[in-house]
Amino acid sequence: MNQPPRGIPRVALPDEAGLQTRAIREGLPASPWGENSEALYLTSCFTHPDAATAARRFANEEDAFIYSRFSNPSVTILERRLAALEGTEACIATSSGMGAILLLFMSLLKAGDHVVCSQSVFGSTIKLLQSELGKFGVESSFVSQTDVSAWKAAIRPSTRLLFAETPTNPMTEVCDIQALADLAHNAGALLVVDNCLCSPALQQPVKFGADIVMHSGTKFLDGQGRVIAGALCASEQLVTEKFVPFMRSAGVNLSPFNAWVVAKGLETLSLRVKAQSEQALALARWLEQHPAVARVLHPGLPSHPQHALAMRQQNGQGGAVVTFDVKGGREEAFSVIDATQLCSIAANFGDVRSIITHPASTTHGRLTEAQRQAAGIGQGMIRLGVGLEDLADIQADLARGLDLLAA
Ligand SMILES: *Cc1c(COP(=O)(O)O)cnc(C)c1O
């Protein structure tokens, strides 16, 4: 696990313990007080019995909690749970999803290195790679999410990382993780998968060969829209040799409070995401029939271009994000959004509250029109992060504006 790895005791769990058991029981043994639910360790530093012990611990000769920029019990509990759910040896939690991507790039790349990235990933990911990392001489190519030959053609001798998000936000384009992993490994590079849209409840990218799984804990992992958080799940070696040293110097650490919230969220992750995914599919089917809707994107629909692949990779589930184009443009999309009374108009998903978003003017507003067009994000597009309210109520909320457009 993340620092400090070996000396910190583990919870005794049966070897055969399943994922739901691990989501609830993984972490750290209870404190001497025997609390049943995890304690929240709000402390900036930790004490040592004597000066010599402190010296050994600072020299990494003995594992212990030292300072909460390096590690903290509440953060370790989250990291162990998330690693168990993703099926990786280790995990490092970060202050946000973008903090996780920054940590990834800064710890694995140097000037002259090259990254191949899907052109349809999260808007801030593109900005970070192109504008910020670009300033330091990191080169990047952006390719079609679904065209494996385009990924292959973009690989150079200096390529260190392939970065994919699947399904993408908001287009729900699904890439073939195994095919990209094979490409990366043949080129001596690593495949990183942003698993925000599925969460490990639906998809475990390492099963298909991915080397690093990136998370925004802000989405389904928290699941109730409370905190910003992020994480990278990977091998023990990558975490301890690459990510932890950068973290110790750079401080993109997750606060113990936010870690505690997300760790509690993981306990119900699987139940929530499966229920939200089923509601999303029902809404997608209904939207497909609506006369005011031009197109519906949800990997669970047979009409989705990568439906079969998605069902294989995502445990037979489409996920809880539905994207659709209304007939018309920005004006029509805004009218549907503004007619809602229940859905939150916000830029998030993964919450138990349904959230409605106009990607072109919010989450993807910083991209150029050409970049948006390349990614397929038009002005008539609406993204719905489907929550856990009654399905009939969410449907009625969308129908308010859509029925007016169709009339
Ligand atoms: C939200 C999101 C991020 C960034 O996460 P933050 O926690 O907001 O920093 C990255 N990738 C995807 C797919 C996201 O949805």
Side-chain angles (χ1 to χ4, degrees):
M1 290 292 111
N2 178 21
Q3 272 298 92
R6 290 159 301 272
I8 305 295
R10 303 198 65 100
V11 182
L13 286 175
D15 285 344
E16 67 278 12
L19 285 192
Q20 192 51 42
T21 302
R22 292 185 188 278
I24 293 171
R25 298 276 177 180
E26 258 299 353
L28 287 169
S31 80
W33 308 118
E35 69 279 357
N36 185 36
S37 176
E38 300 71 30
L40 169 53
Y41 293 91
L42 285 183
T43 179
S44 47
C45 66
F46 298 82
T47 61
H48 313 282
D50 50 58
T53 306
R56 277 199 309 281
R57 291 175 175 180
F58 272 81
N60 264 338
E61 290 161 15
E62 182 182 313
D63 298 318
F65 293 106
I66 296 173
Y67 189 65
S68 289
R69 171 153 42 81
F70 309 166
S71 61
N72 171 285
S74 295
V75 179
T76 299
I77 289 168
L78 167 63
E79 290 168 339
R80 288 182 173 179
R81 274 188 189 170
L82 191 53
L85 291 178
E86 285 292 358
T88 57
E89 288 170 357
C91 169
I92 186 164
T94 57
S95 52
S96 67
M98 292 318 300
I101 302 180
L102 180 68
L103 168 62
L104 170 84
F105 291 157
M106 294 298 281
S107 57
L108 297 183
L109 301 172
K110 60 181 189 320
D113 284 349
H114 175 246
V115 180
V116 185
C117 184
S118 157
Q119 70 194 5
S120 352
V121 298
F122 192 62
S124 298
T125 307
I126 295 177
K127 278 280 170 200
L128 178 64
L129 189 52
Q130 207 165 38
S131 309
E132 305 302 335
L133 272 292
K135 287 193 300 211
F136 301 101
V138 170
E139 296 173 353
S140 46
S141 306
F142 295 89
V143 297
S144 156
Q145 163 92 353
T146 52
D147 182 356
V148 178
S149 62
W151 288 80
K152 188 171 183 188
I155 290 176
R156 307 174 188 170
S158 57
T159 302
R160 298 284 167 266
L161 294 178
L162 272 58
F163 190 104
E165 178 187 315
T166 186
T168 55
N169 159 29
M171 291 292 290
T172 76
E173 286 176 334
V174 176
C175 68
D176 186 334
I177 300 174
Q178 185 70 61
L180 295 186
D182 292 345
L183 276 187
H185 299 156
N186 284 338
L190 299 175
L191 174 65
V192 187
V193 173
D194 178 336
N195 200 22
C196 284
L197 263 85
C198 274
S199 90
L202 304 189
Q203 171 174 276
Q204 294 165 302
V206 293
K207 273 196 186 160
F208 303 98
D211 301 285
I212 302 167
V213 181
M214 175 261 147
H215 271 291
S216 164
T218 317
K219 311 293 163 55
F220 293 102
L221 305 188
D222 167 10
Q224 293 175 64
R226 298 163 294 193
V227 300
I228 302 282
L232 295 174
C233 300
S235 66
E236 177 83 49
Q237 192 185 5
L238 271 178
V239 171
T240 54
E241 292 178 13
K242 300 287 184 184
F243 300 156
V244 167
F246 180 81
M247 173 68 87
R248 289 180 72 142
S249 315
V252 284
N253 56 292
L254 182 60
S255 87
F257 180 79
N258 289 1
W260 180 83
V261 170
V262 178
K264 301 309 285 177
L266 291 184
E267 297 173 357
T268 54
L269 177 75
S270 170
L271 286 172
R272 283 186 283 105
V273 176
K274 284 177 188 154
Q276 284 169 267
S277 178
E278 275 162 29
Q279 305 231 84
L281 179 59
L283 285 168
R285 287 195 177 118
W286 169 75
L287 284 165
E288 251 190 343
Q289 305 301 322
H290 200 286
V293 174
R295 173 174 75 155
V296 184
L297 299 168
H298 183 265
L301 291 174
S303 62
H304 189 281
Q306 297 95 37
H307 173 66
L309 172 64
M311 293 301 97
R312 266 204 314 282
Q313 268 177 191
Q314 301 175 196
N315 248 325
Q317 307 256 350
V321 174
V322 183
T323 300
F324 58 99
D325 289 327
V326 296
K327 290 181 181 160
R330 179 186 282 229
E331 195 186 319
E332 287 75 13
F334 276 19
S335 75
V336 172
I337 293 171
D338 290 343
T340 58
Q341 296 170 6
L342 186 70
C343 291
S344 309
I345 303 174
N348 197 15
F349 61 85
D351 197 323
V352 291
R353 289 155 200 78
S354 294
I355 294 181
I356 194 162
T357 311
H358 183 251
S361 62
T362 60
T363 52
H364 293 67
R366 284 193 295 165
L367 300 185
T368 64
E369 189 59 36
Q371 282 172 321
R372 269 197 301 273
Q373 266 169 16
I377 301 164
Q379 294 291 339
M381 179 173 279
I382 294 176
R383 181 186 84 195
L384 189 70
V386 179
L388 282 179
E389 303 97 337
D390 288 304
L391 179 61
D393 293 334
I394 310 171
Q395 185 173 319
D397 209 35
L398 295 175
R400 269 184 261 282
L402 287 173
D403 290 351
L404 280 179
L405 283 183

